[in-house]
Amino acid sequence: MQIGCPKEIKNHEYRVGLTPASVRELTARGHSVLVQTGAGAAIGLLDEHYAAAGATLAPDAATVFAQAEMIVKVKEPQPQECAMLRPGQILYTYLHLAPDPEQTAALVKSGAICIAYETVTGPGGGLPLLAPMSEVAGRMSIQAGAAHLEKSKGGMGVLLGGVPGVAPAHVVILGGGVVGTHALQMAVGMGARVTVLDKNVDRLRQLDLVFGNRIATQYSNVASVEEAVLAADLVIGGVLIPGAAAPKLVSRALIARMKKGAVVVDVAIDQGGCFETSHATTHAEPTFVVDGVVHYCVANMPGAVARTSTFALNNATIGHAVALADKGWRQALKDNPHLRAGLNVAQGHITYEAVARDLGYAYLPPDSLLA
């Protein structure tokens, strides 16, 4: 198969869909890989590294899209990239379609086979292709939150870990999944006072066993979320419903009652965000203020640590990329129900139920396309 890896064009996005090691994995199996010139240069993955791994260099994205049978990316395709997709071409990348009707319409129109990293499942449950970026984003959320609590960044001027004789900041984490757990590790390590809320009591028990009396755990409901958010200096939103729009756990009215200079970091912004006041921002302009509360809602947070993120992502994605290249998309999806869960759009149809429901499309089960 001819596989293409274009340079990412989203604002301050420096990750790359394939590392030279991933290229070598594919070329060693007889596939050809076309990599856009400079695709990984910003993170030290140079054209000569790709050439040494067996890739052919392409001068521009148009060449990659025109020649490749499968496109491997990181972020969702931008409008000009959607326009270059063609019927039957495989797109393997993050999509986050539920809060993005424009992208969804463009992918439906393209006729391409669109497999979303974020809905591929794992044998033991969970979302293994989303997990590495959730780990990065969870850890980064505390770094970003701590920085924006500084007065010069619009915050209330509080040091996350405090100092002897002065109380630390209170960090509230909504969701005890991958994002929440990694945010928790960072916040505890920096000396903050931490409360984590989740609806899964077994998960709260697990966190309590690991962190003990260094954290407080609370069952998540309307009353407990309100109480915790109003007491917080920093709130991390890390809730996820696979493939669907994130639930709005914090209302505009509740934001208005928060401490002035408090910070919210909405890691769920890729799926629409879990704060009613959230809207996506970029690394160039990462924050905005609503009712005195600083909102950090960067939609590609891991892009700020692009080298770490690229290697972590490739570790998770290359196995399925090899399967798609070796077998073709139909056979690969037939053979692996976990990869099949990643099929969101195919041949002009929505094939992921939560996306169809949230955006008002008819749902076509993936199995019907695999006969």
Side-chain angles (χ1 to χ4, degrees):
M1 184 180 281
Q2 174 81 279
I3 298 144
C5 179
K7 184 176 181 178
E8 296 292 324
I9 58 174
K10 191 164 184 172
N11 182 281
H12 284 277
E13 183 52 76
Y14 305 110
R15 290 174 289 179
V16 62
L18 293 171
T19 62
S22 294
V23 168
R24 188 172 178 186
E25 198 73 20
L26 291 160
T27 56
R29 302 175 75 91
H31 304 294
S32 55
V33 181
L34 197 60
V35 176
Q36 185 178 345
T37 302
I43 55 171
L45 302 179
L46 306 180
D47 290 347
E48 50 262 42
H49 299 153
Y50 284 104
T56 301
L57 296 171
D60 51 39
T63 304
V64 174
F65 277 83
Q67 295 186 19
E69 297 166 80
M70 175 165 71
I71 298 292
V72 181
K73 280 177 43 63
V74 178
K75 289 305 290 179
E76 71 279 358
Q78 302 304 292
Q80 60 267 50
E81 293 175 312
C82 289
M84 290 189 282
L85 290 167
R86 64 179 184 271
Q89 189 173 39
I90 301 168
L91 173 65
Y92 182 50
T93 188
Y94 286 117
L95 292 177
H96 301 290
L97 294 179
D100 193 346
E102 291 81 10
Q103 184 205 168
T104 305
L107 294 181
V108 167
K109 182 181 178 183
S110 75
I113 310 302
C114 305
I115 298 169
Y117 294 159
E118 73 273 8
T119 64
V120 173
T121 55
L127 303 166
L129 276 60
L130 184 63
M133 295 304 95
S134 296
E135 291 166 351
V136 171
R139 294 181 178 218
M140 284 189 67
S141 70
I142 298 299
Q143 292 181 192
H148 287 88
L149 277 171
E150 296 172 13
K151 199 67 185 171
S152 62
K153 299 283 182 67
M156 63 176 69
V158 171
L159 182 65
L160 199 70
V163 292
V166 181
H170 183 193
V171 178
V172 168
I173 300 171
L174 304 177
V178 178
V179 167
T181 301
H182 283 263
L184 190 55
Q185 290 175 348
M186 292 291 283
V188 167
M190 292 175 74
R193 173 188 164 207
V194 183
T195 301
V196 59
L197 294 91
D198 200 286
K199 282 190 170 295
N200 185 335
V201 177
D202 287 336
R203 183 61 188 151
L204 294 177
R205 289 192 183 104
Q206 292 167 354
L207 293 172
D208 186 69
L209 282 171
V210 173
F211 293 97
N213 61 7
R214 291 180 293 169
I215 67 169
T217 59
Q218 281 189 273
Y219 180 78
S220 178
N221 55 35
V222 173
S224 63
V225 168
E226 179 177 312
E227 180 184 1
V229 166
L230 292 178
D233 302 305
L234 170 61
V235 183
I236 308 298
V239 294
L240 174 74
I241 300 172
K248 303 294 184 194
L249 297 185
V250 179
S251 67
R252 179 177 292 274
L254 188 53
I255 289 284
R257 295 168 59 200
M258 287 179 68
K259 297 177 184 177
K260 303 308 175 190
V263 177
V264 300
V265 179
D266 199 342
V267 185
I269 193 65
D270 269 338
Q271 294 294 142
C274 57
F275 301 90
E276 190 179 0
T277 44
S278 292
H279 63 75
T281 61
T282 67
H283 288 293
E285 296 183 36
T287 63
F288 58 93
V289 178
V290 176
D291 292 325
V293 176
V294 179
H295 290 56
Y296 183 99
C297 303
V298 175
N300 59 329
M301 285 178 65
V305 287
R307 187 175 172 92
T308 296
S309 297
T310 292
F311 285 100
L313 180 61
N314 271 249
N315 290 343
T317 58
I318 186 59
H320 290 310
V322 167
L324 289 164
D326 283 353
K327 301 176 180 181
W329 70 272
R330 277 196 174 85
Q331 193 60 48
L333 268 57
K334 277 184 186 177
D335 292 349
N336 189 336
H338 301 294
L339 180 57
R340 190 158 67 240
L343 188 67
N344 277 223
V345 180
Q347 298 176 338
H349 301 283
I350 300 292
T351 54
Y352 196 83
E353 192 167 7
V355 172
R357 182 186 66 241
D358 285 353
L359 296 180
Y361 283 86
Y363 166 63
L364 184 70
D367 292 351
S368 65
L369 294 172
L370 304 180

Short mmCIF file of all heavy atoms in Angstrom, two decimals, residues 130-146 160 171 173 175 177-188 190 234-238 265-268 296 301-302 305 309:
data_model
loop_
_atom_site.label_atom_id
_atom_site.label_comp_id
_atom_site.label_asym_id
_atom_site.label_seq_id
_atom_site.Cartn_x
_atom_site.Cartn_y
_atom_site.Cartn_z
N LEU A 130 -6.24 6.90 22.29
CA LEU A 130 -6.47 8.20 22.93
C LEU A 130 -5.65 8.34 24.20
O LEU A 130 -5.23 9.45 24.56
CB LEU A 130 -7.96 8.37 23.24
CG LEU A 130 -8.41 9.71 23.83
CD1 LEU A 130 -8.15 10.85 22.85
CD2 LEU A 130 -9.89 9.66 24.20
N ALA A 131 -5.40 7.22 24.87
CA ALA A 131 -4.76 7.25 26.18
C ALA A 131 -3.43 8.00 26.23
O ALA A 131 -3.23 8.82 27.15
CB ALA A 131 -4.58 5.82 26.70
N PRO A 132 -2.50 7.80 25.28
CA PRO A 132 -1.22 8.51 25.41
C PRO A 132 -1.36 10.03 25.37
O PRO A 132 -0.67 10.75 26.09
CB PRO A 132 -0.37 7.99 24.24
CG PRO A 132 -1.32 7.31 23.33
CD PRO A 132 -2.48 6.85 24.15
N MET A 133 -2.29 10.53 24.54
CA MET A 133 -2.48 11.98 24.49
C MET A 133 -3.26 12.47 25.72
O MET A 133 -3.05 13.60 26.18
CB MET A 133 -3.20 12.39 23.21
CG MET A 133 -2.42 12.11 21.93
SD MET A 133 -0.76 12.86 21.86
CE MET A 133 0.26 11.49 22.44
N SER A 134 -4.12 11.62 26.26
CA SER A 134 -4.81 11.97 27.49
C SER A 134 -3.82 12.04 28.66
O SER A 134 -3.94 12.89 29.55
CB SER A 134 -5.91 10.94 27.80
OG SER A 134 -6.90 10.96 26.81
N GLU A 135 -2.84 11.15 28.65
CA GLU A 135 -1.79 11.20 29.67
C GLU A 135 -1.02 12.51 29.60
O GLU A 135 -0.79 13.18 30.61
CB GLU A 135 -0.85 10.01 29.50
CG GLU A 135 -1.47 8.66 29.82
CD GLU A 135 -0.65 7.48 29.34
OE1 GLU A 135 0.34 7.68 28.59
OE2 GLU A 135 -1.00 6.35 29.70
N VAL A 136 -0.62 12.87 28.38
CA VAL A 136 0.11 14.12 28.19
C VAL A 136 -0.75 15.32 28.59
O VAL A 136 -0.31 16.20 29.33
CB VAL A 136 0.57 14.26 26.72
CG1 VAL A 136 1.15 15.66 26.46
CG2 VAL A 136 1.61 13.20 26.36
N ALA A 137 -2.00 15.36 28.10
CA ALA A 137 -2.88 16.49 28.38
C ALA A 137 -3.19 16.60 29.87
O ALA A 137 -3.28 17.71 30.43
CB ALA A 137 -4.17 16.37 27.58
N GLY A 138 -3.38 15.46 30.54
CA GLY A 138 -3.63 15.48 31.97
C GLY A 138 -2.49 16.10 32.74
O GLY A 138 -2.69 16.95 33.63
N ARG A 139 -1.29 15.72 32.40
CA ARG A 139 -0.11 16.29 33.08
C ARG A 139 0.06 17.77 32.73
O ARG A 139 0.36 18.59 33.60
CB ARG A 139 1.14 15.48 32.71
CG ARG A 139 1.09 14.06 33.25
CD ARG A 139 2.31 13.23 32.95
NE ARG A 139 2.16 11.92 33.56
CZ ARG A 139 3.15 11.23 34.12
NH1 ARG A 139 4.37 11.73 34.14
NH2 ARG A 139 2.92 10.04 34.66
N MET A 140 -0.14 18.08 31.46
CA MET A 140 0.00 19.48 31.03
C MET A 140 -1.05 20.39 31.66
O MET A 140 -0.81 21.58 31.87
CB MET A 140 -0.10 19.58 29.51
CG MET A 140 1.14 19.14 28.78
SD MET A 140 1.00 19.56 27.04
CE MET A 140 1.03 21.35 27.12
N SER A 141 -2.23 19.84 31.94
CA SER A 141 -3.31 20.68 32.48
C SER A 141 -2.91 21.32 33.79
O SER A 141 -3.28 22.48 34.07
CB SER A 141 -4.59 19.84 32.66
OG SER A 141 -4.46 18.90 33.71
N ILE A 142 -2.15 20.60 34.60
CA ILE A 142 -1.70 21.16 35.88
C ILE A 142 -0.60 22.20 35.66
O ILE A 142 -0.59 23.27 36.28
CB ILE A 142 -1.21 20.04 36.82
CG1 ILE A 142 -2.37 19.08 37.13
CG2 ILE A 142 -0.64 20.62 38.10
CD1 ILE A 142 -3.57 19.71 37.83
N GLN A 143 0.30 21.92 34.72
CA GLN A 143 1.33 22.92 34.39
C GLN A 143 0.68 24.21 33.91
O GLN A 143 1.03 25.31 34.34
CB GLN A 143 2.26 22.39 33.29
CG GLN A 143 3.15 21.25 33.68
CD GLN A 143 4.06 20.79 32.55
OE1 GLN A 143 4.68 19.75 32.63
NE2 GLN A 143 4.15 21.57 31.48
N ALA A 144 -0.28 24.06 32.97
CA ALA A 144 -0.96 25.23 32.41
C ALA A 144 -1.76 25.95 33.48
O ALA A 144 -1.75 27.19 33.57
CB ALA A 144 -1.86 24.82 31.25
N GLY A 145 -2.47 25.20 34.29
CA GLY A 145 -3.28 25.80 35.35
C GLY A 145 -2.44 26.54 36.36
O GLY A 145 -2.78 27.67 36.77
N ALA A 146 -1.32 25.94 36.76
CA ALA A 146 -0.43 26.58 37.73
C ALA A 146 0.13 27.89 37.17
O ALA A 146 0.19 28.91 37.87
CB ALA A 146 0.72 25.63 38.10
N LEU A 160 0.68 27.15 43.37
CA LEU A 160 -0.07 25.91 43.45
C LEU A 160 0.24 25.12 44.73
O LEU A 160 -0.66 24.63 45.41
CB LEU A 160 0.20 25.03 42.22
CG LEU A 160 -0.83 23.94 41.96
CD1 LEU A 160 -2.15 24.53 41.49
CD2 LEU A 160 -0.31 22.95 40.92
N VAL A 171 -7.11 22.28 44.01
CA VAL A 171 -7.33 21.80 42.65
C VAL A 171 -8.49 20.81 42.66
O VAL A 171 -8.47 19.84 43.42
CB VAL A 171 -6.06 21.13 42.08
CG1 VAL A 171 -6.33 20.58 40.68
CG2 VAL A 171 -4.90 22.10 42.06
N ILE A 173 -10.58 18.17 40.26
CA ILE A 173 -10.47 17.43 39.01
C ILE A 173 -11.78 16.70 38.75
O ILE A 173 -12.21 15.87 39.55
CB ILE A 173 -9.30 16.42 39.07
CG1 ILE A 173 -7.97 17.19 39.30
CG2 ILE A 173 -9.22 15.60 37.79
CD1 ILE A 173 -6.79 16.31 39.59
N GLY A 175 -13.53 14.05 36.86
CA GLY A 175 -13.25 12.84 36.09
C GLY A 175 -11.99 12.16 36.57
O GLY A 175 -10.92 12.78 36.64
N GLY A 177 -10.57 9.41 35.14
CA GLY A 177 -10.04 8.54 34.10
C GLY A 177 -8.57 8.81 33.83
O GLY A 177 -7.82 9.19 34.73
N VAL A 178 -8.16 8.64 32.58
CA VAL A 178 -6.73 8.80 32.24
C VAL A 178 -6.29 10.25 32.45
O VAL A 178 -5.26 10.50 33.08
CB VAL A 178 -6.46 8.36 30.79
CG1 VAL A 178 -5.00 8.58 30.43
CG2 VAL A 178 -6.82 6.89 30.61
N VAL A 179 -7.05 11.20 31.94
CA VAL A 179 -6.71 12.62 32.12
C VAL A 179 -6.67 12.96 33.60
O VAL A 179 -5.69 13.53 34.11
CB VAL A 179 -7.73 13.54 31.40
CG1 VAL A 179 -7.56 14.99 31.86
CG2 VAL A 179 -7.57 13.45 29.90
N GLY A 180 -7.72 12.60 34.32
CA GLY A 180 -7.82 12.94 35.73
C GLY A 180 -6.72 12.33 36.56
O GLY A 180 -6.15 12.98 37.45
N THR A 181 -6.37 11.08 36.28
CA THR A 181 -5.33 10.40 37.06
C THR A 181 -3.97 11.07 36.86
O THR A 181 -3.22 11.27 37.82
CB THR A 181 -5.26 8.91 36.65
OG1 THR A 181 -6.53 8.31 36.91
CG2 THR A 181 -4.18 8.19 37.44
N HIS A 182 -3.66 11.43 35.62
CA HIS A 182 -2.36 12.06 35.37
C HIS A 182 -2.32 13.49 35.88
O HIS A 182 -1.28 13.97 36.35
CB HIS A 182 -2.01 11.95 33.89
CG HIS A 182 -1.54 10.57 33.52
ND1 HIS A 182 -0.22 10.24 33.43
CD2 HIS A 182 -2.23 9.43 33.29
CE1 HIS A 182 -0.10 8.96 33.13
NE2 HIS A 182 -1.32 8.44 33.03
N ALA A 183 -3.46 14.19 35.83
CA ALA A 183 -3.53 15.51 36.46
C ALA A 183 -3.34 15.39 37.96
O ALA A 183 -2.62 16.18 38.59
CB ALA A 183 -4.87 16.16 36.14
N LEU A 184 -3.95 14.38 38.52
CA LEU A 184 -3.85 14.11 39.96
C LEU A 184 -2.41 13.89 40.38
O LEU A 184 -1.93 14.45 41.38
CB LEU A 184 -4.71 12.88 40.26
CG LEU A 184 -5.01 12.44 41.67
CD1 LEU A 184 -5.64 13.57 42.45
CD2 LEU A 184 -5.93 11.23 41.65
N GLN A 185 -1.69 13.07 39.63
CA GLN A 185 -0.29 12.80 39.95
C GLN A 185 0.53 14.08 39.99
O GLN A 185 1.34 14.31 40.90
CB GLN A 185 0.31 11.83 38.92
CG GLN A 185 -0.23 10.42 39.02
CD GLN A 185 0.30 9.53 37.90
OE1 GLN A 185 0.90 10.01 36.94
NE2 GLN A 185 0.07 8.24 38.02
N MET A 186 0.33 14.93 38.99
CA MET A 186 1.09 16.18 38.92
C MET A 186 0.70 17.13 40.05
O MET A 186 1.56 17.75 40.68
CB MET A 186 0.85 16.86 37.57
CG MET A 186 1.43 16.12 36.39
SD MET A 186 3.24 16.13 36.37
CE MET A 186 3.55 17.80 35.78
N ALA A 187 -0.59 17.25 40.30
CA ALA A 187 -1.07 18.19 41.32
C ALA A 187 -0.59 17.78 42.71
O ALA A 187 -0.14 18.61 43.50
CB ALA A 187 -2.60 18.29 41.28
N VAL A 188 -0.68 16.48 43.00
CA VAL A 188 -0.20 15.99 44.30
C VAL A 188 1.31 16.20 44.41
O VAL A 188 1.83 16.63 45.44
CB VAL A 188 -0.57 14.49 44.47
CG1 VAL A 188 0.19 13.87 45.64
CG2 VAL A 188 -2.07 14.34 44.67
N MET A 190 3.09 18.47 43.09
CA MET A 190 3.41 19.89 43.27
C MET A 190 2.92 20.44 44.60
O MET A 190 3.10 21.61 44.89
CB MET A 190 2.83 20.70 42.11
CG MET A 190 3.51 20.40 40.78
SD MET A 190 2.74 21.26 39.37
CE MET A 190 3.32 22.94 39.63
N LEU A 234 -8.38 26.06 41.02
CA LEU A 234 -8.11 25.52 39.69
C LEU A 234 -9.03 24.32 39.47
O LEU A 234 -9.07 23.42 40.32
CB LEU A 234 -6.64 25.09 39.57
CG LEU A 234 -6.22 24.28 38.34
CD1 LEU A 234 -6.45 25.04 37.06
CD2 LEU A 234 -4.74 23.87 38.46
N VAL A 235 -9.76 24.30 38.36
CA VAL A 235 -10.63 23.18 38.02
C VAL A 235 -10.16 22.56 36.70
O VAL A 235 -9.98 23.27 35.71
CB VAL A 235 -12.11 23.61 37.88
CG1 VAL A 235 -13.00 22.40 37.59
CG2 VAL A 235 -12.59 24.32 39.14
N ILE A 236 -9.96 21.25 36.71
CA ILE A 236 -9.57 20.51 35.51
C ILE A 236 -10.77 19.72 35.03
O ILE A 236 -11.34 18.91 35.78
CB ILE A 236 -8.40 19.53 35.79
CG1 ILE A 236 -7.23 20.24 36.47
CG2 ILE A 236 -7.98 18.83 34.51
CD1 ILE A 236 -6.58 21.33 35.65
N GLY A 237 -11.19 19.92 33.77
CA GLY A 237 -12.29 19.16 33.19
C GLY A 237 -11.75 18.02 32.35
O GLY A 237 -11.16 18.26 31.30
N GLY A 238 -11.94 16.80 32.83
CA GLY A 238 -11.39 15.64 32.11
C GLY A 238 -12.39 14.53 31.92
O GLY A 238 -12.06 13.35 32.09
N VAL A 265 -9.32 24.58 33.26
CA VAL A 265 -8.62 23.99 32.12
C VAL A 265 -9.53 22.89 31.57
O VAL A 265 -9.80 21.90 32.25
CB VAL A 265 -7.25 23.40 32.52
CG1 VAL A 265 -6.57 22.76 31.31
CG2 VAL A 265 -6.36 24.48 33.12
N ASP A 266 -10.03 23.09 30.36
CA ASP A 266 -11.00 22.16 29.77
C ASP A 266 -10.31 21.21 28.81
O ASP A 266 -10.17 21.48 27.62
CB ASP A 266 -12.11 22.94 29.05
CG ASP A 266 -13.36 22.10 28.85
OD1 ASP A 266 -13.25 20.86 28.93
OD2 ASP A 266 -14.44 22.68 28.62
N VAL A 267 -9.85 20.08 29.36
CA VAL A 267 -9.17 19.08 28.52
C VAL A 267 -10.16 18.39 27.58
O VAL A 267 -9.77 17.84 26.56
CB VAL A 267 -8.45 18.05 29.41
CG1 VAL A 267 -7.64 17.07 28.56
CG2 VAL A 267 -7.51 18.75 30.40
N ALA A 268 -11.45 18.46 27.91
CA ALA A 268 -12.49 17.82 27.07
C ALA A 268 -12.91 18.70 25.90
O ALA A 268 -13.88 18.38 25.21
CB ALA A 268 -13.70 17.49 27.94
N TYR A 296 -8.70 28.14 30.05
CA TYR A 296 -7.65 27.60 29.17
C TYR A 296 -8.27 26.42 28.43
O TYR A 296 -8.58 25.39 29.03
CB TYR A 296 -6.44 27.15 30.01
CG TYR A 296 -5.27 26.64 29.20
CD1 TYR A 296 -4.18 27.45 28.93
CD2 TYR A 296 -5.23 25.32 28.73
CE1 TYR A 296 -3.08 26.98 28.19
CE2 TYR A 296 -4.15 24.85 27.99
CZ TYR A 296 -3.09 25.68 27.74
OH TYR A 296 -2.00 25.23 27.01
N MET A 301 -3.64 20.49 23.17
CA MET A 301 -2.65 20.70 24.24
C MET A 301 -1.36 19.90 24.04
O MET A 301 -0.27 20.46 24.18
CB MET A 301 -3.27 20.36 25.61
CG MET A 301 -4.24 21.40 26.13
SD MET A 301 -4.98 20.91 27.71
CE MET A 301 -3.54 20.91 28.77
N PRO A 302 -1.44 18.60 23.71
CA PRO A 302 -0.18 17.85 23.57
C PRO A 302 0.73 18.36 22.46
O PRO A 302 1.91 18.03 22.43
CB PRO A 302 -0.67 16.42 23.26
CG PRO A 302 -2.03 16.36 23.85
CD PRO A 302 -2.61 17.72 23.60
N VAL A 305 4.06 19.93 23.50
CA VAL A 305 5.20 19.05 23.78
C VAL A 305 5.23 18.00 22.68
O VAL A 305 5.10 16.80 22.90
CB VAL A 305 5.12 18.43 25.20
CG1 VAL A 305 5.42 19.48 26.25
CG2 VAL A 305 3.75 17.82 25.46
N SER A 309 4.88 13.82 22.54
CA SER A 309 3.56 13.36 22.11
C SER A 309 3.63 12.51 20.85
O SER A 309 2.91 11.52 20.71
CB SER A 309 2.66 14.57 21.86
OG SER A 309 2.46 15.30 23.04
#
